[in-house]
Structures are given as C-alpha cells and as structure tokens.
Amino acid sequence: MSYLFDHPGTVFYAIFVSFWAVTFLEYWKRKCASLAHHWDCMDFEEEEEKPRPEFAARAPLIERNSVTGLREPSFPAGIRTQRMLAVLIFLVGIIIYRVMGAMPMFKSRELRGWASIISGSTGAVVNLTMIMFLGRVYEKLAVRLTEWEMHRTQTEFEDHLTFKVFIFQFINFYSSIFYIAFFKGRYVGYPGHYRHIFHLRNEDCSNSGCLMELAQQLI
C-alpha cells in the first residue's frame, strides 16, 4: 500500500510542483502589475491614504500630517510598537500550543485502534476537525488583535491582518504534517532509554514507515 505513494514517480511530481509554484508566483506578479496599471495605482503612496474610520473614532490624538498638511487622528507610535510586540509574543505562544497539541494526538492509544491504517485515518479525521474549528477561532482572533494594534490606514490594517491569518492558518494546517514528516519516528531512543518530550515518549513509525500516515494527512 505504501508503494502507492513511495515510488520513483514521486520525485518527478515534486519537481513538477516546484516549477509550477515558481511559475504561478511569477504570473501572479505580472497580474498584480497589470491590475495596478489598469487602476492607476502604480504611484500610490500609503502616506496619502486617509485614516480608517475605526482608527479615527478611537485615536486619542489629533496631529498634522506631514504629507498632506491636514490635521488627522493619530496614535502614539511607541504604544503601537509595544502592542505589536505583545501580539507577536502571543502569536508565538499560539504556534507552540498548536504544535505541542498535534503531538499527543498521534500518540494516543485511543486513536490507534487495531491497525495503523485505521489509527492514521482516525487521527486524520480528528485533526481535520480541530483544524476547521481552530481556523474559525484564529480568523476572529486575528481581526481582534489587529484592531487592538490601532493601524492608521486600511492598507496597514490589511497587511498586518493578512500576516497574522497566514501564520495562524499555516501552523494550523501543517503542524501535524511537519510532525509526521520530520519528527515522528526520529529521536526515539532505544529500549531502556527512550526519549520523551513533555513527559510523552517519542512515537516510532510503523514497519513500513510514516509515509502512509503522511499521505493520509495530506489527503
């Protein structure tokens, strides 16, 4: 069964995906430049963008814009930097929590059942359920955190929101896959000297390796 995914054709498929990804990004850059020219946004400057209504309603200060010369709502840069650092620390904590949460799932005896295929499928279903649930939570959390940072323009707000959502969703979707591909079955130790992480024994792969379970997670 594992030969279905582990055969010489996998190498050519990986090469094809690599070239496809690079080509897609280059064509996307061309599309973005074409749309920017079509919408006359090539020389757009963020300093000329007006403040967001939410920012204007909550900003504690009114200062003169050095570019437009108009008095606009303002927020102290030092406080914004402190909030962004706090959000970054919180983001790292979420990442560690998600990665550590994926490990016990694949160590649980209740998820193993009687056969490796059944256990892998069960773990994949449970992991998918967690991904769908946490994905909704992360999206709402990212919006709240970005609003708390008090970004002046809509462009700044969307850039920081996109970054948070990307990091959240990347860890949410791929933490279990990275665990199976690079950590499961490694650093196991030997009888009498098994290695543990957070009081959990490092799990070993089946006799056929972890590729089958990895394929189930990807599917």
Side-chain angles (χ1 to χ4, degrees):
M1 186 67 178
S2 61
Y3 184 77
L4 181 63
F5 303 97
D6 187 11
H7 57 83
T10 307
V11 178
F12 295 98
Y13 175 73
I15 296 175
F16 167 76
V17 171
S18 301
F19 280 103
W20 173 84
V22 174
T23 305
F24 176 82
L25 290 176
E26 292 301 322
Y27 273 93
W28 178 249
K29 292 178 183 178
R30 292 181 58 183
K31 183 65 175 180
C32 290
S34 176
L35 292 176
H37 182 268
H38 179 71
W39 293 336
D40 195 20
C41 298
M42 298 293 293
D43 299 327
F44 177 77
E45 297 292 341
E46 293 186 6
E47 290 78 6
E48 300 176 0
E49 188 175 357
K50 295 182 178 180
R52 296 186 305 120
E54 296 84 354
F55 175 83
R58 299 170 56 189
L61 303 175
I62 300 294
E63 296 181 351
R64 187 177 301 278
N65 190 314
S66 59
V67 177
T68 62
L70 301 176
R71 295 179 61 83
E72 296 179 351
S74 177
F75 190 80
I79 299 179
R80 180 184 293 114
T81 302
Q82 293 176 2
R83 291 189 176 187
M84 292 177 63
L85 290 176
V87 170
L88 180 61
I89 295 174
F90 181 78
L91 181 64
V92 173
I94 290 291
I95 292 174
I96 295 176
Y97 161 76
R98 184 63 184 91
V99 173
M100 293 297 102
M103 296 173 59
M105 182 183 305
F106 296 97
K107 299 174 183 291
S108 175
R109 295 185 180 275
E110 288 76 6
L111 297 179
R112 292 182 187 178
W114 296 96
S116 60
I117 296 179
I118 297 177
S119 65
S121 302
T122 306
V125 172
V126 174
N127 188 44
L128 177 61
T129 304
M130 289 187 60
I131 287 175
M132 300 302 294
F133 171 74
L134 292 177
R136 298 290 185 89
V137 176
Y138 290 158
E139 289 180 1
K140 295 181 179 180
L141 182 61
V143 173
R144 294 292 183 89
L145 292 176
T146 309
E147 290 178 348
W148 184 66
E149 290 176 350
M150 290 291 291
H151 295 286
R152 174 180 171 273
T153 63
Q154 187 66 27
T155 300
E156 293 177 350
F157 179 85
E158 292 178 354
D159 288 344
H160 287 80
L161 176 61
T162 302
F163 173 76
K164 292 182 183 63
V165 172
F166 172 78
I167 294 297
F168 279 149
Q169 298 293 25
F170 180 83
I171 298 299
N172 187 32
F173 278 91
Y174 297 110
S175 59
S176 58
I177 295 177
F178 272 84
Y179 167 69
I180 297 174
F182 300 106
F183 295 99
K184 185 177 180 180
R186 301 173 183 267
Y187 320 111
V188 178
Y190 52 90
H193 295 82
Y194 290 109
R195 298 182 179 180
H196 297 74
I197 298 179
F198 296 102
H199 304 289
L200 294 173
R201 174 183 162 184
N202 292 351
E203 186 181 9
D204 198 0
C205 296
S206 61
N207 296 331
S208 59
C210 292
L211 189 59
M212 187 62 190
E213 185 175 356
L214 180 62
Q216 291 175 346
Q217 292 292 323
L218 291 173
I219 293 175

